[in-house]
């Protein structure tokens, strides 16, 4: 299995790489700054919102591997935390560019490779914000809703070619990026970081944050033959969100 993961240098993407490698896959990760990866992995420094960079990446993938079995379009940024009237257009564009346009470009250049071999799986990383929305996160939520729309379209368009597409919607994932979200949200709401953290956890049925490995395990399943007829699905890995914006 040949697997390409965008934003695979850390966080969820790195966990995906580890999980696929453990399943016996060949792993290729991209990121803005890939400093070190495990032995046996391939890596590229790529800006996912640059079409020329993405075109060159997929050309290299085709030349090196001859095709692609699984694309995990995982690149994303948190974007600003602010009331909609306070969001700068530049911040909106930056968030949508990475989260949505990056996924589009990855799918655009993966599709021809998969069509030629008559098979493939595309796994897009969305978010529970792409299901419910989220106050003070307009750019991020809009982009992640867009990712789900893109996935649904890919599933319909590429299904006749033997290609599946699904979206994973992680909830609050432990890690440095989430710590930044907690800090910005605490400042915006006049709360402490711990209060915001507790609010997120209490907003789920399982009263828990998600680990990157939980999301990675779902990606491996969706990329495997065990999910051969799973396509067009929005799958939350979130401990079941009951309230996306709980107030303590």
């Amino acid at each position: 299995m040949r697997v390409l993961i965008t934003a695979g240098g850390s966080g969820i993407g790195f966990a995906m790489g580890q999980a696929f490698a453990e399943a016996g896959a060949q792993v290729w990760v991209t990121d803005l700054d890939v400093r070190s990866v495990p032995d046996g992995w391939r890596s590229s420094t790529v800006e996912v919102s640059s079409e020329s960079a993405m075109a060159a990446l997929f050309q290299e993938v085709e030349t090196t591997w001859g095709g692609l079995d699984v694309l995990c379009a995982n690149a994303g940024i948190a974007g600003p935390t602010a009331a909609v009237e306070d969001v700068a257009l530049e911040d909106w564009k930056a968030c949508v560019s990475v989260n949505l346009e990056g996924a589009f470009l990855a799918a655009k250049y993966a599709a021809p490779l998969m069509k030629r071999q008559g098979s493939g799986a595309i796994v897009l990383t969305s978010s529970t914000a792409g299901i419910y929305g989220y106050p003070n996160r307009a750019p991020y939520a809009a982009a992640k809703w867009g990712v789900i729309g893109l996935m649904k379209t890919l599933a319909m368009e590429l299904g006749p070619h033997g290609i599946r597409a699904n979206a994973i919607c992680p909830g609050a994932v432990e890690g440095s990026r989430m710590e930044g979200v907690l800090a910005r949200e605490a400042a915006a709401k006049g709360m402490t970081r711990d209060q915001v953290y507790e609010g997120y956890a209490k907003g789920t049925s399982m009263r828990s944050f998600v680990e990157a490995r939980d999301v990675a395990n779902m990606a491996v399943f969706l990329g495997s033959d065990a999910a051969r007829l799973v396509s067009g699905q929005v799958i939350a890995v979130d401990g079941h969100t009951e309230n996306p914006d709980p107030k303590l």
Side-chain angles (χ1 to χ4, degrees):
M1 186 187 296
R2 300 157 296 180
V3 182
L4 176 66
I5 305 164
T6 62
S10 64
I12 290 174
F14 189 81
M16 286 178 175
Q18 291 178 311
F20 274 107
E22 289 168 8
Q26 300 178 73
V27 174
W28 193 322
V29 298
T30 79
D31 219 315
L32 289 174
D33 184 13
V34 187
R35 298 185 179 182
S36 64
V37 296
D39 291 342
W41 292 22
R42 294 182 179 273
S43 64
S44 299
T45 299
V46 177
E47 170 52 70
V48 296
S49 59
S50 166
E51 182 159 18
S52 61
M54 292 294 276
L57 168 68
F58 280 88
Q59 180 60 58
E60 186 181 2
V61 168
E62 183 175 24
T63 300
T64 304
W65 277 349
L68 182 65
D69 299 305
V70 180
L71 166 68
C72 293
N74 172 68
I77 60 173
T81 298
V84 66
E85 65 268 25
D86 295 326
V87 174
L89 181 59
E90 293 77 11
D91 292 337
W92 169 279
K93 289 181 177 179
C95 186
V96 172
S97 178
V98 174
N99 289 302
L100 182 54
E101 292 175 12
F104 158 70
L105 289 172
K108 174 179 178 176
Y109 287 101
L113 276 64
M114 293 179 174
K115 280 184 176 181
R116 281 195 284 274
Q117 64 198 26
S119 64
I122 297 174
V123 181
L124 305 183
T125 302
S126 180
S127 166
T128 50
I131 300 174
Y132 303 104
Y134 199 82
N136 300 309
R137 299 287 303 282
Y140 183 78
K144 291 302 190 179
W145 275 64
V147 167
I148 291 174
L150 172 64
M151 178 277 294
K152 291 284 189 179
T153 300
L154 293 173
M156 288 185 271
E157 183 176 326
L158 301 179
H161 300 277
I163 302 166
R164 300 179 292 106
N166 293 284
I168 301 176
C169 293
V173 181
E174 296 276 11
S176 59
R177 185 167 126 183
M178 191 63 204
E179 286 299 324
V181 171
L182 294 172
R184 290 189 295 274
E185 191 164 328
K189 291 182 175 180
M191 300 166 65
T192 67
R193 175 265 183 206
D194 289 348
Q195 286 175 322
V196 176
Y197 183 99
E198 184 180 355
Y200 270 101
K202 285 187 174 180
T204 70
S205 299
M206 300 188 75
R207 304 296 191 264
S208 177
F209 270 48
V210 175
E211 299 287 342
R213 183 63 185 227
D214 299 318
V215 183
N217 288 339
M218 180 58 70
V220 172
F221 167 70
L222 292 174
S224 73
D225 288 341
R228 68 186 187 89
L229 293 179
V230 179
S231 191
Q233 301 306 304
V234 179
I235 302 174
V237 179
D238 65 341
H240 185 227
T241 299
E242 295 179 4
N243 181 359
D245 185 30
K247 304 296 192 298
L248 293 179

